Amino acid sequence: NLSIYKNGSNYKYLSNNFNNSYPHNEAALYLSTVVDMNGSSDYVELYGRANVLSGNVTFEPQNTLGLFGAYKIGLKNTPAFYGEKASNSTISRGVITKITGLTTNEIDSDSAFDGTTFTVPSGQDGKYFVAAQVNYSYADIGNDGERSQIYLYKNGSSVKNHQLYFSGTGTQSIVSVYISAFMSLVATDTVELYAKAVDANNSGSATIAGDNT
């Protein structure tokens, strides 16, 4: 697990869980969020936790140090939008599905984001950095997730995708997938987030977790 703490309390976390039958020997987690910092005494910290069958876990300095950082969101970086999923939802096996309801802790500097779709405002053509994270849970359908895939769409078509795929083993119980891209956008262009989930034994629909998407 990876957690961002604010003032000593867990603010946002990410978890990747694998079945005991198929353990993994290395893992790298990425977590991002927007935090309201209200005073000079507010602070944030990074925490990690690992559950193993036996022994201890090593955090490798070459892959960890320098990867905890933040920047202030201000008027110089607009248009800007951000939203977290307000509640859990399910997606049908193997169906690329639009992620909706991204309305928690919403930021929308130019009234251009409706919780699902960002539409570039007039006069705001340029290069945009777009990032997203989707948290999948296969806990209710056998803990046998096989493929977890995330997509960035521009004007209704996929422009980039990223996946975690475990062929034939179905090892994923809970997993988060991150994606980012630079996009050249002009007025009225739209950006949306899509996801696909496949479990190994075709037993049902995966859950998109509202607290970590």
Side-chain angles (χ1 to χ4, degrees):
N1 293 359
L2 188 65
S3 298
I4 292 175
Y5 273 55
K6 176 186 175 182
N7 299 337
S9 298
N10 190 9
Y11 185 86
K12 185 82 171 180
Y13 77 95
L14 177 148
S15 176
N16 278 0
N17 291 347
F18 292 77
N19 292 338
N20 291 343
S21 300
Y22 303 98
H24 56 297
N25 58 6
E26 291 186 10
L29 301 183
Y30 176 90
L31 175 62
S32 65
T33 189
V34 173
V35 182
D36 287 325
M37 306 295 281
N38 299 315
S40 59
S41 62
D42 281 353
Y43 63 94
V44 292
E45 298 170 306
L46 181 67
Y47 283 74
R49 185 182 72 178
N51 294 327
V52 295
L53 297 179
S54 62
N56 298 315
V57 174
T58 299
F59 289 93
E60 298 182 353
Q62 64 270 29
N63 293 320
T64 302
L65 292 179
L67 297 183
F68 177 48
Y71 64 91
K72 181 181 178 181
I73 299 174
L75 296 177
K76 294 181 179 179
N77 297 314
T78 58
F81 72 98
Y82 175 88
E84 300 170 6
K85 205 163 184 343
S87 61
N88 291 356
S89 62
T90 58
I91 56 175
S92 299
R93 184 183 189 273
V95 178
I96 300 174
T97 304
K98 185 187 297 185
I99 303 300
T100 61
L102 300 166
T103 56
T104 297
N105 295 324
E106 185 173 331
I107 295 173
D108 186 10
S109 67
D110 288 58
S111 300
F113 181 56
D114 63 4
T116 300
T117 304
F118 170 70
T119 303
V120 179
S122 176
Q124 298 293 344
D125 302 5
K127 294 279 188 181
Y128 286 73
F129 177 74
V130 182
Q133 173 183 296
V134 173
N135 183 268
Y136 303 77
S137 173
Y138 298 90
D140 294 333
I141 55 172
N143 295 308
D144 63 342
E146 186 173 82
R147 185 193 302 267
S148 304
Q149 198 158 3
I150 184 173
Y151 302 79
L152 292 178
Y153 270 56
K154 173 184 174 181
N155 298 331
S157 298
S158 176
V159 295
K160 191 171 185 180
N161 72 86
H162 182 216
Q163 66 175 330
L164 290 181
Y165 178 44
F166 296 82
S167 177
T169 61
T171 63
Q172 301 178 47
S173 174
I174 299 174
V175 63
S176 293
V177 184
Y178 172 84
I179 191 171
S180 63
F182 281 98
M183 293 185 179
S184 295
L185 301 175
V186 299
T188 73
D189 279 351
T190 60
V191 178
E192 295 168 316
L193 175 64
Y194 282 72
K196 181 173 72 174
V198 177
D199 66 314
N201 63 8
N202 193 16
S203 58
S205 301
T207 298
I208 302 299
D211 56 351
N212 282 302
T213 296

